[in-house]
Amino acid sequence: MFPSQFTYHRAASVAEAVELLNGNEGAKLLAGGHSLLPMMKLRLASPPTLVDIGQVAELKGVSADGDGVRIGALTTHAEIAGSALVQERAPVLAEAASRVGDPAVRNRGTIGGNVAHGDPQSDLPTVLTALGATINAAGQNGERGIAAADFFTGLLENALDDGEIVTSVSVPGVASGAGTAYVKFSHPASRYSVVGAAAIVSVANGVCSSASVVVGGVESTPTRAASVEAALAGSGVGADALAAAASAVSGDFQGDAMGDVYASSEYRQAMAGVYVRRALEAAVARGG
Amino acid sequence: MTTRSFGSGIRRREDPRLITGKAPYTDDIKLPGMVHAAILRSPHAHANIKSIDTSAAASQPGVVAVYTGADTDGVLAGMPCAWLIPGSDLKTPEHPAIAKDRVRYVGDAVAVVVAGTRYEAEDALEHIEVEYETLGVVINPKAAAQPGAAQLHDDVENNIAFTWAVAGGDADAAFAAADVTVSDTITLPRLIANPMEPRSAVASYMAAMGELTLWSTSQNPHIARFLTSVVTGVPEHKIRVIAPEVGGGFGSKIPYYPDEAITAFCAMKLGVPVKWTETRSENYLATTQGRDHVEEVEMAATSDGTITGLRTTVYAGMGAYLSTAAPGVPTILHGLMYSGAYNIPNISGTIYGVFNNGTPVDAYRGAGRPEATTLIERLVDLTAAALDMDPAEFRRKNLIPKFENGHDVATGIIYDSGDYELTLNTCLANADYEGLRAAQAAARAEGRLVGIGMATWVEICGLGPSQVAGAVGFQGGLWESAIVRFHPTGKVNVMVGSSPHGQGEETTFAQIVSEELGVPVEDVEIIHGDTDNTPMGWGTYGSRTTVVSGGAIAFASRKIKEKSKELAAHLLEAAVEDIEYDDGRFFVRGSDDQAKTIQDIALMANVAWSMPEGMEPGLEASAFYDPPNFTYPFGTHLAVVEVNAETGHIDLQNYWAVDDCGVQINPMIVEGQVHGGVVQGVGPALWEGVVYDDNGQPLTGTMQDYALPRADLLPDINVASTTTPSPHHPLGLKGVGEAGTIAATPTVYNAVMDALRPLGVNRVDMPLTPEKVWRAINDAKNGG
Ligand SMILES: Cc1cc2nc3c(=O)[nH]c(=O)nc-3n(C[C@H](O)[C@H](O)[C@H](O)COP(=O)(O)OP(=O)(O)OC[C@H]3O[C@@H](n4cnc5c(N)ncnc54)[C@H](O)[C@@H]3O)c2cc1C
């Protein structure tokens, strides 16, 4: 509960943060601190240098971006959940953000820290993958966008290069008429998701015309439920059809399903079926 | 004149300073020149220490000293076990404060670093080189007691620390003659007490005077002084123990810990004050835990629904060493309660206290009684089911009928008073039991898994007669004392030896004095927690403080009243026999316009201008109260749950509690204790439990893994009460600190099992996590 010694810097701009990050071997960015500080206190992480980006104004806030939204990396879960723009254009993201942890976590934790940390039990990576979002990063070699589907590369691993920082997340607007839902099985202690399921479903003439379904919590990175999406394509959206489609999710796990003392991998996979079905039912009910 | 407050829910006077964070705790103590200790803890559950090299650590920045077990040789005695159960072949293997050549659980102290700051001390820990040779590990208490299991202590065969039996009647004959018998194996998970404030100690030693002062997060500073003396060799009268504000204990701050002894040791070695404060992670490793029972239990009954016998074999995990009070918990506080609220003529139980490679286990809120109540109440439900009787009706048939002054049960103890059926009937009425059963039938018809569970419970508390304490091997007394002191202005200080830490006794004790002597409640200040300015007392645990300390306060107040009467008679120029008392006023019978108030009396006694012949000045009295018997609070709790068959999630929907703790001084505080207790009792049923892997590594080492109850997972708790005074207590009190914790675990467990009954599921190990419930449902569906 007492971190090792470290040097603390506060960056005033993205450029300065990039410079400090690159100029200090092993330096880590500090955003909300809700993932990094617990690891440091348990001495599971001992970065010699912290670069606090908490005061970098250009990293904060939500703005319209085409028909979607652009969310600064420092925007908190509470701000995302409460943003009218997000609620209107990507309601499933607002819904997921509103289910993160508890109020204290939502008031401190940021979207940038959340995606950069890449905890498989997190909620936002699942939803951002389902939405086809882009993670925008800046580094010594300038800026680039990384598709969410490519960003999460493994357990607590991501596609950022050394010294690169997440500046914002671009989220495309959900197609009009599509219904969306994020449902999660919260761990009773941490509130992280044991299983989380995001669904974006469009229905035309009683038939599913497009679906994006992603599951978190089961594998080390978000799992696109391609089998479920395939089963839904052109299918009806009655209870039986949705249940049948949801059950196909078992085919989407590549054999690295995780388990822990609270929930085994077998159980998580079984729950994925239940939570995908619940997400589909809610999404279909909300669409139109 | 006086505002009468006894029996009314006045606000807790301790709350403003606690809620606003203004109250000082041990870790807030800052002494000039103070240095900081950090303790290196074993990362292995069982290992020989081959070597320790502290040289690198000693040369780290700020480090003042590094000590290992070897440094304490001949200085610190071993950690004492203070509950030596007679007739149990008890083994008390050596428990050094700092491990010497072997560690026996993850968290065992291996070395201590003292440095200028806490950070420096923590950093230096990483530079201590310890070479370990790992040994076999055993965790499950039953497995640990089997031949061939890894052995923790060389001289303790099969890890069995003690074997204790309880018997009454002829249980074997009852089982042989029974129409129906049921059996079950119940696991009560190992629990972490989780007080908001972790443990802390500050030690200061004045070598010139040979005086040791220890600030400590203790529930019982006088016991801590006594045991500090035993371990450090400093004579008891040269030790002062101060428990400032203590942020919850739940039993985990009863024991005398290695860490306190280590802190004192460092202060004595170095001649400067030393502070040690536990981190939350350390609290999860090094602070005693609760329960850890495997219980193999059976009940016998006749076909008309009469319980005839109970048999148990219990394996109680002790952890790696015997903590201060540990052996008394699964024996005296558990086995003696096997009759529960029922007439059970034939009882036999065998309890094995078993060493295992975990954190030491000791009292945790309820201490032994939740473990007893759970097995009894589960067996009662199983027996009712086997007889196809409604569980409420079956209970009613077997409850001990109302009694006002003593009832013998087969285990040899005498309950004080009870009206068990009244609490059952009240609870069933409050919950609309028939309506609930009808709703359950309708839900079941739809295939929904709705369950109703209850417990009619009784507990032993108000510990207790010191003669009994001695007879059962408790290495101390169980009386309490109080000094009530009136100042010239009529204000009152009450010094008590018990040590309230959040329960609200500063308020209820003041209410007692106010009731007895008619002083305004706000004129009474309660002083506790410092061995230098309080009289001897045995501490706050076992729902005993209000009962036993409260008794002492009542008797001391009554002494004051007697003296006041004599002084009033003198001042009013009347005979003592003619003095009447009412609400703080003393007057001659028939002429109450000429009264002396208690304040008048206090002033005169203190200035002593005119005293009766031979009367000493001052208005102060001291009383020692040794209760003639334990007290036996009781009640009925009922819960409704719905289980989601698809996920195994349990929705705790409704909870009703009807408790009888005798006379209530402050019903609001009683209600608060029931609320907190119920929540802590639901915890192990649904969420809480320490899990170790096969190597003895805790997998529930943080609050992100160990699931404490959360407000959003709990329903409103409907609290009601009945009042059956204790016949032997001066105020009729019984105690309520643990009631909810004792009742709630079996209530909720029974409710979930009732929900699963249509599927044929009869047992699932607690805590009932969704996966375990889901597996049980699937196994049942697959014909398992
Ligand atoms: C009790 C608790 C419950 C929680 N429950 C949930 C939950 O239910 N669902 C959920 O999704 N999350 C949950 N979280 C995590 C929470 O959302 C965190 O806020 C989040 O994971 C990290 O965000 P942060 O701003 O706190 O990042 P920090 O802790 O500051 O940083 C995390 C990591 O990301 C890096 N980093 C931070 N910002 C950037 C950036 N802009 N660019 C590159 N790297 C960066 C840091 O260097 C560090 O490695 C919980 C946390 C706690 C403590």
Side-chain angles (χ1 to χ4, degrees), chain A residues 1-5 42-43 102 185 187-192 261-264 266-267 270-271 274-275 277-278, chain B residues 118-119 122-123 126 279-281 644 646-647 649 687 691 699 703-707 710 712 769-771 774-775:
Chain A
M1 299 269 106
F2 289 82
S4 313
Q5 261 197 26
L42 293 169
R43 298 201 173 201
D102 51 37
F185 176 155
H187 188 284
S190 72
R191 303 318 254 179
Y192 274 98
V261 59
Y262 182 73
S264 69
E266 180 194 359
Y267 179 62
M271 290 308 103
V274 175
Y275 280 77
R277 193 199 71 225
R278 290 181 183 176
Chain B
R118 179 67 191 265
Y119 279 94
E122 292 282 343
D123 285 348
E126 298 194 337
T279 64
R280 183 61 64 184
S281 309
N644 184 312
E646 209 173 28
T647 63
H649 274 109
W687 306 293
V691 182
L699 300 177
M703 285 184 171
Q704 299 240 37
D705 308 295
Y706 184 91
R710 295 174 64 105
D712 61 345
T769 60
E771 177 164 4
W774 175 79
R775 285 190 184 279

Side-chain angles (χ1 to χ4, degrees), chain B residues 78 122 124 137 173 226 248 253 255 345 421 454 471 476 479 496 507 516 540 611 618 642 657 689 768:
Chain B
E122 292 282 343
V137 167
F226 173 42
K253 292 173 181 171
E421 194 176 342
M454 68 187 79
W479 48 267
V496 293
T507 305
E516 292 286 332
T540 289
M611 301 292 281
E642 180 159 357
L768 300 168

Side-chain angles (χ1 to χ4, degrees), chain B residues 448-463:
Chain B
R448 285 162 51 206
L449 303 175
V450 171
I452 300 166
M454 68 187 79
T456 40
W457 60 277
V458 57
E459 62 153 319
I460 179 169
C461 71
L463 317 181

Side-chain angles (χ1 to χ4, degrees), chain B residues 488 600-611 617-618:
Chain B
D600 298 335
I601 301 284
L603 180 59
M604 181 53 78
N606 274 288
V607 298
W609 288 342
S610 174
M611 301 292 281

